[in-house]
Structure formats: C-alpha cells, structure tokens
Amino acid sequence: MATRTQVVLIDDLDGREIVEGGQTVTFSYKGVDYSIDLGEKNAKKLDDALARFIAHAERVGGRRSRVSKTAVDDTDDPQAIRAWARENGYQVSDRGRVSAELKAAYDAAH
C-alpha cells in the first residue's frame, strides 16, 4: 500500500491556499519570535507596512543576502587547501573547517 503525504500552505491572514509565490515570514517583536505564512499579495502588504520602520531601524542580526560568485576561486576550496597543506608538512584532518592560519599560509603561498 502506498502512502502520500501532501503539505498545503495556507495564507494565515485570509485562509486561502497558497499555490505559488507565497512565503513563510519570520520576524521578532518585543523579544518574541513569530512566523506567518503569507500569499504573495499579503507578503507585499507586510513588506510595505514595515518598510518605513525598517528604513530607520538598526540591523542587529539575521541573515544577509549572499552574492554568488561568477568564477570558482580555488582558494575557497577546502580540499585544495588540505592537499597543499599535506604536501607542505601540515597536519590536517579530512573533514571540518580549515583554520584561518592554514588558509592564510595557503593564500601567502599562492
């Protein structure tokens, strides 16, 4: 027997099913975190309502948008750094974060 589970996103303001263009918006106010599912139209209304306050507010955390790289820079490739380090007598693990010191040594050598 097959089972299919389907998740339907519903706009929390108007109760309509969100077919496309909706989003889950998270925000904090007076130390409390909130999450609300909004269709495209209601998400725009929220953006418009908060725009003036956000323009005058100070950012204290949260995600920043990421700028994608157009070219691959192998100085950011941990495997390339690890291979170079091993060839040059450094002890490095196969996994985990590459230390800032090791990356600096790699950058200086290249």
Side-chain angles (χ1 to χ4, degrees):
M1 177 188 294
T3 302
R4 178 202 261 175
T5 303
Q6 193 171 15
V7 177
V8 178
L9 195 60
I10 305 294
D11 187 304
D12 290 329
L13 286 182
D14 61 24
R16 294 183 186 158
E17 182 176 335
I18 300 171
V19 180
E20 62 180 60
Q23 57 186 296
T24 300
V25 178
T26 58
F27 60 96
S28 296
Y29 181 69
K30 293 189 176 185
V32 179
D33 296 332
Y34 296 91
S35 173
I36 187 168
D37 298 323
L38 298 172
E40 192 171 345
K41 188 175 178 181
N42 284 329
K44 173 86 168 96
K45 286 181 184 178
L46 179 62
D47 289 343
D48 293 344
L50 293 175
R52 181 171 176 233
F53 296 96
I54 291 171
H56 291 87
E58 177 183 347
R59 185 184 191 115
V60 294
R63 291 181 258 171
R64 299 198 185 271
S65 62
R66 300 184 87 182
V67 177
S68 63
K69 294 181 180 183
T70 56
V72 175
D73 180 3
D74 70 344
T75 61
D76 293 331
D77 179 9
Q79 294 305 328
I81 295 171
R82 285 187 179 93
W84 172 86
R86 287 186 187 101
E87 292 169 4
N88 289 279
Y90 289 90
Q91 294 263 350
V92 292
S93 65
D94 291 332
R95 298 176 34 201
R97 188 173 164 209
V98 174
S99 71
E101 295 82 15
L102 185 57
K103 182 160 178 0
Y106 177 84
D107 290 342
H110 292 88

